Amino acid sequence: MGTVVDDDAAVEFHAFFERHYAELARLAHLLTGEADAADDLAADALLALWHRWDRVRAADHPVAYARGVVANLARTRIRSAVRERRRITLFWSQREEKTENPDVPAVVDVQEALRRLPFRKRACVVLRHAFDLSEKDTALALGISVGTVKSQTSKGMAEIQRLLGTAEAPRRVPAAVVRTGGAGGRNR
């Protein structure tokens, strides 16, 4: 990834850094609207430029190249933030269910079984069965593939079945499990 550069290149890069860092940070701030992220994006851009300094210094317009790197990094940051907001919105937008007279011992047993699952299996089971999300929506919420959702849900339900000692895994994770925080447990 890195290139071997001579002392002249290091001096050139340092001068470039001193001349353009503030401008690149300002550009990042204006593109993202995040003052805190601006310095990080400018630093990341300059690090990327340093790794390609032999090409950058040979370019007709090195500053334009640097601005392009900042713009690409800002675009990636914005897209990531939008995806994260969508996941959060999707997760919290589901209707709240009310369970009257829940079978408390069964709820406790299911909560304990869920706590024993590794996080990804637990998340897939809870989102698919307690929140009734589709495989696609679960994949979007967790940032994983639909195939992974299918396999993790299947394996998680089989493990719950084994832990509960039942011939059949529960069709649905009781809504009371979700409301009492049983699915959030430790991250194993």
Side-chain angles (χ1 to χ4, degrees), residues 4 6 33 82 94 107 111 120 123 126-127 129 149 159-160 166 182:
V4 177
D6 56 26
V82 167
Q94 302 303 308
V107 169
Q111 286 177 340
R120 186 178 283 179
V126 168
L127 290 173
H129 295 287
V149 169
E159 201 165 327
I160 287 175
T166 60

Side-chain angles (χ1 to χ4, degrees), residues 26-42:
R26 190 170 55 250
L27 173 63
H29 179 219
L30 291 172
L31 291 174
T32 63
E34 299 176 20
D36 296 339
D39 285 333
D40 291 342
L41 286 174

